[in-house]
Amino acid sequence: MQILKILHFYILVSVPLTLITGPFLPDLSIVLSAIFFLFFTIYYKNFKYYKNIFFILFIFWCLYLIIRSLLSDNILLSLESSLFHFRFGLFFLSIWYALDNYQNFIKYSFIFLLIGFLIIIFDGYYQYFNGYNILGYKYDGFRLSGLFGNEKILGSYLSRLTPLLFAFLAYLNFNNKFTFFIIIFTLTSVDILVFLSGERSAFFYILMSTLIIIFLVKRWKYVRIFTFFLALFAISIITYNSEHVKSRMIDQTVKQFNIQNSDNKINTFSPQHEALYLTSYFIFKDNIIFGIGPKMFREKCATAIDLENLRSYYIDQEVDLRTIQKCSTHTHNTYIQLLVETGITGSIPVILLSLLIIYKLVKHFYFVIFKRIYIYSDYRICLYAAVVISLWPFIPTGNFFNNWLNVIYFLPVGFILYDNHRSLK
């Protein structure tokens, strides 16, 4: 039994490292962790975790997704996203179980996450300065890929997990000077590398989590202020001296938002994103309540709107109409995808969760500003930041049902449930 517990422990703490390898290993890790969790809770007859209201609601939501898939036009394709989605619920309960039963779980989670960051940092900068990374993946001059190869998600990995790294730092409360130096180096390097990655959404996540930490965290905010402004100074120098970086992060953003044109029309992120959102609207208006089914946007987008009519929307703008397409594998926005594929019924739980966390952050901000009281710990605030940046509505996103992303979405949830349960004792 002890060997099984050790295996369970290291499977969970190594999840951030498996995320570097692609979608297979992290998905395998959460399946194995779920199996261990089911075995332990049944063996020891410890069923308190299943009685948690968040998990119960999550399971009902998963059942709704399965039913919607069964009623979709392509049942097998839709079930690929919905049938085993419940495994993520067992994953976050597994983390809660580990926190209850394994000593130093947060410490080792921090160590493994930090190791993952340092590997990505070293390889990312190596690729930027040498034109290829340690595995031979080439840098195209606009977006770094690092160890992720053809998947340009280096910035996404770092930016989404930075609040979790900061949460562990706040919980462990290090006083060791060497560790403190490593943290300063890591945070500064992450900010710069995310900018160099060319992932504008990822850089927005960094900005957003940084603002949350600076305004809502009590003890470690000054560390974040120092590292962030140090990174901004380096970013300014790099942007001034690198035409590639400036073109991707500044010039292309201005052009895609249509900011400098005289027609006074500002685009939503980019013409291509806007085209997908318009296509989504035409699908949604005919499927408002229940949507079309998970993973079905790619099937329905072809007939939702005439392509020439869609392209005519941009006729007065400086846009290459050949690049405007009405289809993709997903809508590139979390809430638009949920509304289109699961309808208002399936979207409400995610919207309410997002609003709840935002409410808690606003409430904490009010008490900090007006009463000088920190109602939530620095650890809890950073965990909330990790969730809220993934659920932020006004930004392009990946596929909501993507397995790799869902591991990141649900990774902080187990820590939040444990901390919430502990505070109620």
Side-chain angles (χ1 to χ4, degrees):
M1 186 65 69
Q2 190 62 30
I3 294 176
L4 293 180
K5 290 182 178 180
I6 293 173
L7 283 173
H8 186 218
F9 178 93
Y10 281 104
I11 285 172
L12 284 173
V13 298
S14 63
V15 165
L17 285 177
T18 65
L19 285 166
I20 300 173
T21 66
F24 175 74
L25 284 182
D27 204 25
L28 177 63
S29 296
I30 67 167
V31 170
L32 291 175
S33 69
I35 292 172
F36 278 120
F37 169 73
L38 287 169
F39 173 75
F40 291 143
T41 52
I42 293 172
Y43 182 84
Y44 292 113
K45 298 181 180 180
N46 187 358
F47 304 115
K48 71 171 185 178
Y49 303 99
Y50 304 104
K51 299 175 183 178
N52 175 264
I53 186 63
F54 181 82
F55 176 72
I56 294 171
L57 292 174
F58 177 78
I59 292 299
F60 275 107
W61 184 68
C62 289
L63 288 173
Y64 169 79
L65 295 180
I66 293 173
I67 293 171
R68 190 62 197 87
S69 291
L70 292 173
L71 297 174
S72 68
D73 291 342
N74 190 333
I75 296 174
L76 293 179
L77 177 65
S78 189
L79 283 174
E80 288 179 6
S81 291
S82 61
L83 186 58
F84 296 107
H85 200 72
F86 68 88
R87 70 191 186 279
F88 294 106
L90 296 176
F91 170 56
F92 62 70
L93 289 187
S94 186
I95 291 175
W96 181 3
Y97 178 88
L99 288 162
D100 271 342
N101 293 276
Y102 304 145
Q103 286 187 346
N104 298 319
F105 182 76
I106 292 182
K107 179 181 178 180
Y108 279 88
S109 295
F110 170 77
I111 291 171
F112 275 74
L113 181 57
L114 182 61
I115 291 172
F117 268 48
L118 292 175
I119 291 172
I120 293 296
I121 288 169
F122 170 79
D123 184 73
Y125 281 108
Y126 187 89
Q127 186 182 52
Y128 178 75
F129 287 110
N130 291 281
Y132 54 89
N133 82 325
I134 57 176
L135 296 180
Y137 295 122
K138 292 183 179 181
Y139 173 41
D140 62 12
F142 290 93
R143 296 186 63 179
L144 291 170
S145 62
L147 293 171
F148 298 99
N150 295 327
E151 297 290 335
K152 303 292 179 27
I153 52 176
L154 179 151
S156 181
Y157 175 91
L158 293 175
S159 61
R160 292 176 185 273
L161 292 178
T162 292
L164 190 61
L165 183 75
F166 217 92
F168 295 154
L169 175 66
Y171 183 89
L172 296 168
N173 202 18
F174 288 109
N175 291 315
N176 182 282
K177 290 183 178 179
F178 177 75
T179 304
F180 189 75
F181 171 79
I182 292 295
I183 292 299
I184 296 290
F185 167 80
T186 301
L187 292 174
T188 306
S189 300
V190 163
D191 292 341
I192 299 170
L193 190 58
V194 169
F195 186 83
L196 294 177
S197 74
E199 297 176 53
R200 290 168 293 182
S201 293
F203 192 66
F204 174 82
Y205 292 146
I206 283 290
L207 291 174
M208 188 175 181
S209 64
T210 296
L211 290 175
I212 292 173
I213 290 170
I214 289 174
F215 286 104
L216 302 185
V217 165
K218 184 177 183 180
R219 181 166 183 212
W220 293 94
K221 68 173 65 181
Y222 299 108
V223 171
R224 192 65 188 112
I225 291 171
F226 174 75
T227 57
F228 185 65
F229 279 96
L230 186 62
L232 284 182
F233 177 73
I235 287 170
S236 300
I237 296 174
I238 293 169
T239 304
Y240 180 79
N241 290 281
S242 174
E243 188 60 36
H244 289 305
V245 174
K246 179 177 178 293
S247 175
R248 169 65 184 172
M249 298 298 287
I250 308 297
D251 298 341
Q252 191 173 341
T253 301
V254 171
K255 180 180 179 180
Q256 288 184 340
F257 275 76
N258 200 37
I259 293 173
Q260 292 182 332
N261 288 355
S262 58
D263 57 10
N264 294 321
K265 181 185 183 303
I266 296 178
N267 289 327
T268 306
F269 305 117
S270 76
Q272 180 53 57
H273 284 107
E274 207 168 62
L276 292 175
Y277 302 158
L278 286 170
T279 302
S280 300
Y281 167 74
F282 282 97
I283 299 173
F284 171 69
K285 69 185 181 69
D286 294 325
N287 305 272
I288 294 175
I289 305 300
F290 300 112
I292 58 176
K295 209 173 184 179
M296 292 301 294
F297 176 78
R298 68 191 69 193
E299 295 273 302
K300 296 290 187 178
C301 58
T303 57
I305 182 176
D306 183 80
L307 184 57
E308 294 308 313
N309 288 340
L310 182 63
R311 287 175 174 173
S312 67
Y313 183 80
Y314 304 96
I315 203 70
D316 296 325
Q317 300 181 37
E318 294 181 10
V319 175
D320 184 354
L321 297 181
R322 293 171 299 177
T323 66
I324 302 299
Q325 301 297 328
K326 60 179 180 177
C327 277
S328 180
T329 55
H330 58 95
T331 66
H332 289 263
N333 179 274
T334 292
Y335 294 92
I336 293 177
Q337 181 181 1
L338 285 170
L339 287 169
V340 168
E341 297 187 343
T342 70
I344 292 176
T345 305
S347 302
I348 285 176
V350 180
I351 293 172
L352 290 178
L353 174 62
S354 178
L355 291 175
L356 176 63
I357 295 176
I358 291 172
Y359 165 75
K360 288 178 177 291
L361 291 175
V362 171
K363 178 182 176 182
H364 183 83
F365 179 74
Y366 170 81
F367 274 87
V368 169
I369 296 299
F370 295 103
K371 298 188 178 182
R372 301 296 178 185
I373 298 174
Y374 290 79
I375 59 176
Y376 299 120
S377 66
D378 291 356
Y379 171 68
R380 178 80 72 90
I381 290 297
C382 293
L383 291 175
Y384 285 157
V387 175
V388 80
I389 63 173
S390 289
L391 294 180
W392 191 250
F394 308 113
I395 194 166
T397 62
N399 185 351
F400 182 78
F401 295 107
N402 176 275
N403 292 341
W404 188 88
L405 279 176
N406 271 270
V407 175
I408 294 179
Y409 290 162
F410 289 103
L411 186 57
V413 174
F415 293 95
I416 293 173
L417 292 178
Y418 167 76
D419 194 57
N420 185 62
H421 181 75
R422 185 181 61 169
S423 65
L424 293 176
K425 289 183 178 180

